[in-house]
Amino acid sequence: MSKKVLVLNSGSSSLKFKLFSLDHLHVVAKGVVEEIGSPSANIKFQGCHDHALQRHDIEIEDHLQALKAMSDLLTKCGLITNLSQLHGIGHRVVHGGESFTSPVSIDQEVLKKIEELIPLAPLHNPANILGIKIALDHAPDVPQVAVFDTAFHHTMPAHAHLYALPRHLYEELGIRRYGFHGTSYSYVTRKAAKYIRKPYSEFSCICLHLGNGASIVAVKNGKCLDTSMGLTPLEGLVMGTRCGDIDPAIILFMARNLGMSIDDIDHLLNRQSGLRGICGDRDMRTIEKRAARGDTDAQLALDIFCYRARKYIGAYLSITGQPDCIIFTGGIGENSSLVRQNICQDLKWLGLELDPLINDSLDKMEKGRPAEISTKSSKIKILVIPTDEELEIARQTIKVIGNEKGQG
Ligand code: ADP
């Protein structure tokens, strides 16, 4: 049986997993345990024989049971004999604060530091930690690695990562901009540099990760200069249910005039805003269909989404100088020709010229490979590159384990 690496992404009520074979890092199984702790708990799994998607509705009270259910399925399909036999386990960790600027091998000290970062990511880090703890309990002898969403952005200079707030808030509490989607950016930007045939250290781009969460990053000479998400993933672009940039005084206004609590405001900004707040739907496919039928609310949501992204591209061009390319990734970036068209239209004078025919026919092209949707005369290439965060975590996990073995 070939050696395998497991990638785990633990959410508050979900556990996503992907199992990679070390031979060419191909996926041998993947799945997700959803609605953990609720009566509708279920596990979706792909990996046995014909790779057909299976769904099992089973009682799963907590993450420990979720991990066991996953492990049972992997064993039943003959993919592993037990978790202890894995080459390594890579964990997605959302917030690495300033402590973690690259992936690390997990030990008790690392775990403690990730726990100390909970105030910076109260929604995400506790679930990530839970995933790590149960995996450590189950497979204590398997090397485990934490890969941080924030790490990619650690090169942001102080003028980009500091807020114009009293300095003690940064110095004592770590309130600064960190940025997220780093694993996706790491994967996609390296792929783009390879496609353009430039060494990464000389590669510059502006990359938009547009999914339910959305952000944009400016990279110059292989280093992140700025990104739109901040202390949390709430800042920046318009998202499915998150507002992105707003005047912070709106929060004071809501508290003072509507008597809303901190939790109410948190819920409103994170869950009820963004596309959903503007038009009631958060799914871009539905919004595009509604807009095509002449629905003005959906059209407005689409317009605000694209307008915000264009503004950021303009701003980031001023800090990167002429980049090698603009990259679209994430569910919307990879699949919505309309959003790409709206974001890029009339930017020829800035060196960006999208080819509408190639852009529209993209869904017929081979998936998984970079696609160039700019005209031949466009000074800056426009690329669409499907992201693969799990593959990036698997790669980084193997690298950390390899380095450790090399030292040992
Ligand atoms: P997440 O951030 O949760 O990983 P994804 O990257 O999967 O999200 O992106 C989800 C978004 O991508 C949704 O808004 C969905 O509507 C959108 N999307 C997926 N396919 C298409 C498509 N063909 N056209 C337009 N939008 C799409």
Side-chain angles (χ1 to χ4, degrees):
M1 199 179 283
S2 71
K3 284 267 183 193
K4 297 189 180 67
V5 169
L6 179 69
V7 171
L8 291 179
N9 182 355
S10 330
S12 54
S13 60
S14 66
L15 179 73
K16 269 194 203 163
F17 56 91
K18 234 181 209 183
L19 187 68
F20 292 85
S21 157
L22 279 193
D23 306 333
H24 309 295
L25 273 187
H26 74 268
V27 181
V28 289
K30 61 180 177 181
V32 57
V33 189
E34 290 172 320
E35 312 270 353
I36 297 172
S38 99
S40 41
N42 66 83
I43 178 163
K44 294 196 186 92
F45 179 79
Q46 234 176 329
C48 281
H49 324 298
D50 54 357
H51 253 274
L53 181 71
Q54 310 173 6
R55 182 189 157 120
H56 306 272
D57 291 285
I58 44 175
E59 202 175 307
I60 298 175
E61 277 176 14
D62 53 26
H63 282 70
L64 182 63
Q65 288 187 4
L67 187 87
K68 280 188 181 151
M70 174 205 75
S71 172
D72 285 351
L73 276 174
L74 295 175
T75 313
K76 244 190 227 161
C77 292
L79 295 166
I80 56 170
T81 42
N82 56 54
L83 290 184
S84 309
Q85 188 226 9
L86 291 166
H87 176 73
I89 303 179
H91 295 267
R92 178 184 182 216
V93 179
V94 169
H95 216 307
E98 285 188 328
S99 311
F100 299 107
T101 56
S102 56
V104 287
S105 181
I106 300 173
D107 56 22
Q108 288 306 319
E109 201 184 323
V110 165
L111 199 53
K112 192 164 156 263
K113 275 196 191 155
I114 302 173
E115 275 173 327
E116 284 165 11
L117 294 169
I118 288 176
L120 294 177
L123 291 180
H124 296 102
N125 273 27
N128 301 157
I129 291 165
L130 193 59
I132 293 174
K133 282 187 171 164
I134 53 171
L136 282 174
D137 277 352
H138 261 70
D141 298 328
V142 174
Q144 310 216 11
V145 173
V147 180
F148 301 91
D149 263 11
T150 45
F152 182 82
H153 308 289
H154 81 275
T155 49
M156 270 198 287
H159 57 250
H161 77 237
L162 285 180
Y163 291 111
L165 289 168
R167 285 290 291 278
H168 70 90
L169 290 176
Y170 165 61
E171 283 155 8
E172 289 158 26
L173 298 167
I175 295 181
R176 52 158 280 185
R177 308 183 62 257
Y178 290 95
F180 298 87
H181 286 143
T183 315
S184 171
Y185 288 132
S186 180
Y187 175 82
V188 169
T189 58
R190 279 180 171 77
K191 202 151 189 176
K194 208 167 165 195
Y195 174 79
I196 285 177
R197 294 167 198 259
K198 257 200 166 177
Y200 196 64
S201 59
E202 291 168 24
F203 173 73
S204 299
C205 71
I206 293 171
C207 183
L208 296 99
H209 178 115
L210 307 178
N212 285 317
S215 72
I216 176 166
V217 74
V219 172
K220 187 165 185 161
N221 296 330
K223 291 203 165 83
C224 168
L225 289 187
D226 204 351
T227 190
S228 58
M229 285 179 167
L231 174 75
T232 74
L234 187 57
E235 191 180 343
L237 302 182
V238 174
M239 305 175 222
T241 62
R242 293 183 219 139
C243 57
D245 296 335
I246 56 166
D247 180 345
I250 294 171
I251 295 165
L252 313 179
F253 185 96
M254 289 193 287
R256 287 188 185 125
N257 296 293
L258 304 176
M260 290 174 73
S261 68
I262 295 290
D263 284 345
D264 290 343
I265 297 175
D266 188 340
H267 184 73
L268 183 139
L269 299 179
N270 275 296
R271 312 293 323 158
Q272 299 297 328
S273 299
L275 297 170
R276 175 183 279 164
I278 304 164
C279 74
D281 269 311
R282 67 172 206 165
D283 192 295
M284 189 54 89
R285 282 166 291 205
T286 316
I287 293 170
E288 285 187 10
K289 279 188 200 133
R290 280 176 54 188
R293 291 197 302 264
D295 181 322
T296 50
D297 289 341
Q299 186 60 51
L300 188 61
L302 198 54
D303 290 347
I304 297 175
F305 182 89
C306 296
Y307 176 75
R308 181 86 53 89
R310 274 169 74 84
K311 279 211 297 192
Y312 266 95
I313 290 179
Y316 283 2
L317 283 171
S318 76
I319 58 175
T320 54
Q322 184 175 316
D324 296 301
C325 60
I326 304 275
I327 310 167
F328 285 95
T329 193
I332 299 172
E334 291 164 29
N335 296 299
S336 174
S337 54
L338 180 68
V339 166
R340 295 191 300 260
Q341 164 72 38
N342 289 353
I343 291 176
C344 296
Q345 74 187 350
D346 303 328
L347 293 182
K348 192 175 172 189
W349 66 280
L350 276 175
L352 269 171
E353 198 182 7
L354 186 121
D355 185 321
L357 284 180
I358 303 181
N359 183 41
D360 282 346
S361 60
L362 199 61
D363 49 355
K364 296 183 199 84
M365 292 172 70
E366 197 180 334
K367 289 270 178 217
R369 301 184 63 152
E372 201 169 323
I373 55 168
S374 40
T375 61
K376 290 252 176 316
S377 59
S378 180
K379 284 197 187 122
I380 303 168
K381 285 185 195 301
I382 308 172
L383 304 179
V384 178
I385 305 184
T387 193
D388 195 335
E389 286 163 283
E390 289 88 3
L391 177 57
E392 183 66 21
I393 294 173
R395 276 185 189 156
Q396 296 194 13
T397 299
I398 291 164
K399 200 166 161 196
V400 170
I401 294 171
N403 289 344
E404 299 246 312
K405 284 197 175 144
Q407 282 166 12

